[in-house]
């Protein structure tokens, strides 16, 4: 009996640590789209995507070498390739392209659909089976965010919305696949190996799409590139994959419902983009949905 109680306490502690680590990751990711919006003011989407991957891969490779990490098994390479496709290439490239058509305040709301995508891929790739009430809270939260996007969007570009939707699907796949791997390899190891795997192709792309003239690129664009390279592409995933691995892909993934509103606040503060007052009401509903999803995950 004492052993069962001890195991129960360890599970609770692991779940709490997972949600805490996941929240730190979300706080870091919340500035990604505003930073990307700033960076595409000076760099093309292709160069931005490849450059951020190259910088993060160099840092990740340095960590792997310094801490003498073993190479992943051959059977893990396909999963690492899916992670790279989703979060190293797909999401950064598609969002950078989308941000040429829509503002950060509009595009960031689409991130509210990411928890549902992550949960679905968690079922397909991670074998998780959340309860029915979890799906209710997840769908209500996603619907609230999607409805807010439609009201907020007004004359937004259809091309931008389609690009954001594709980005969300690829990112959900990358998150779920990475979380499964993180249980065996560790969170920071997963993103580091994925970056290293993508490095050759991203380095070639970075050279091919580099700016013809560097002098006209302002400091804000360089700052945006630095943030998405170091924090969005590497540091955030250290916390995020750890959180998903400890607390569950579907459950902890619901924290992403908070990301649009944190991102909207940053978009208003950093970019001066308008933020609707209705955001507060939707935020309250989203917080309730996150709490409910946590309860029934």
């Amino acid at each position: 009996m004492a052993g069962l109680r001890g195991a129960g306490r360890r599970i609770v502690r692991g779940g709490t640590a997972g949600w805490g680590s996941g929240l730190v990751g979300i706080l870091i990711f919340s500035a990604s789209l505003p930073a990307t919006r700033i960076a595409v003011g000076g760099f093309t989407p292709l160069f931005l995507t490849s450059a951020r991957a190259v910088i993060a891969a160099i840092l990740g490779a340095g960590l792997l070498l310094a801490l003498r990490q073993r190479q992943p098994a051959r059977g893990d390479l396909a999963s690492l390739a899916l992670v790279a496709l989703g979060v190293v290439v797909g999401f950064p490239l598609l969002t950078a392209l989308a941000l040429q058509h829509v503002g950060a305040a509009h595009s960031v709301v689409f991130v509210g659909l990411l928890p549902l995508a992550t949960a679905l891929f968690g079922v397909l790739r991670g074998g998780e089976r959340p309860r029915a009430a979890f799906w209710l809270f997840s769908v209500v939260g996603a619907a609230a965010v999607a409805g807010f996007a439609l009201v907020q969007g007004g004359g937004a570009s259809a091309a931008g919305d389609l690009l954001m939707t594709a980005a969300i699907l690829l990112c959900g796949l990358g998150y779920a696949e990475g979380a499964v791997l993180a249980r065996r390899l560790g969170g920071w190891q997963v993103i580091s190996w994925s970056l290293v795997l993508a490095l050759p192709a991203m380095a070639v792309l970075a050279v091919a799409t580099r700016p013809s003239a560097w002098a006209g690129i302002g400091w804000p664009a360089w700052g945006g590139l630095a943030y998405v390279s170091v924090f969005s592409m590497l540091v955030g995933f250290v916390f995020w994959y750890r959180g998903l691995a400890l607390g569950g892909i579907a459950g902890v993934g619901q924290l992403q419902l908070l990301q649009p509103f944190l991102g909207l606040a940053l978009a208003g503060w950093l970019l001066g983009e308008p933020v609707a007052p209705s955001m507060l009401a939707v935020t309250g509903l989203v917080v309730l949905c996150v709490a409910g999803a946590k309860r029934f995950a």
Side-chain angles (χ1 to χ4, degrees):
M1 184 65 72
L4 289 175
R5 285 197 296 268
R9 285 194 293 270
R10 286 193 295 273
I11 292 172
V12 171
R13 285 197 297 270
T16 301
W19 282 77
S21 183
L23 181 59
V24 174
I26 289 302
L27 291 172
I28 292 172
F29 290 152
S30 294
S32 296
L33 287 179
T36 300
R37 176 71 169 173
I38 294 172
V40 293
F43 303 106
T44 65
L46 281 174
F47 177 77
L48 178 62
T49 299
S50 54
R52 66 188 279 181
V54 168
I55 294 169
I58 293 172
L59 295 174
L63 284 173
L64 292 169
L65 289 172
L67 299 177
R68 299 181 180 180
Q69 297 297 298
R70 290 183 298 177
Q71 293 185 7
R74 182 173 298 179
D76 291 331
L77 293 180
S79 292
L80 287 170
L82 284 177
V83 174
L85 173 65
V87 304
V88 177
V89 181
F91 185 78
L93 176 59
L94 292 174
T95 53
L97 290 170
L99 286 166
Q100 292 188 318
H101 301 278
V102 296
H106 176 76
S107 63
V108 79
V109 176
F110 276 80
V111 180
L113 301 176
L114 193 48
L116 188 57
T118 304
L120 290 171
F121 283 114
V123 170
L124 294 173
R125 303 296 299 176
E128 296 189 354
R129 295 293 181 269
R131 286 180 275 180
F134 164 85
W135 292 110
L136 174 63
F137 282 108
S138 181
V139 170
V140 169
V145 173
F148 182 76
L150 291 174
V151 173
Q152 180 88 344
S157 164
D161 287 352
L162 286 173
L163 287 165
M164 283 303 304
T165 301
I168 292 306
L169 290 174
L170 280 177
C171 193
L173 172 61
Y175 280 173
E177 198 70 32
V180 174
L181 278 175
R183 296 167 184 165
R184 300 196 303 273
L185 302 181
W188 71 268
Q189 291 93 334
V190 167
I191 189 59
S192 295
W193 284 119
S194 298
L195 287 163
V196 169
L197 189 64
L199 177 58
M202 291 295 98
V204 171
L205 185 59
V207 171
T209 60
R210 68 189 185 277
S212 57
W214 300 92
I217 300 172
W219 286 109
W222 285 108
L225 173 60
Y227 187 90
V228 297
S229 300
V230 178
F231 292 96
S232 304
M233 200 79 266
L234 183 62
V235 177
F237 281 103
V238 174
F239 293 97
W240 183 238
Y241 278 143
R242 179 176 182 270
L244 292 175
L246 289 176
I249 299 169
V252 173
Q254 296 307 298
L255 285 170
Q256 295 166 112
L257 286 171
L258 299 175
Q259 187 173 339
F261 306 102
L262 295 169
L264 281 169
L266 287 170
W269 177 46
L270 294 174
L271 306 177
E273 296 185 2
V275 176
S278 57
M279 183 182 75
L280 295 176
V282 181
T283 302
L285 176 59
V286 165
V287 170
L288 291 176
C289 289
V290 171
K294 182 180 185 298
R295 172 69 176 81
F296 294 103

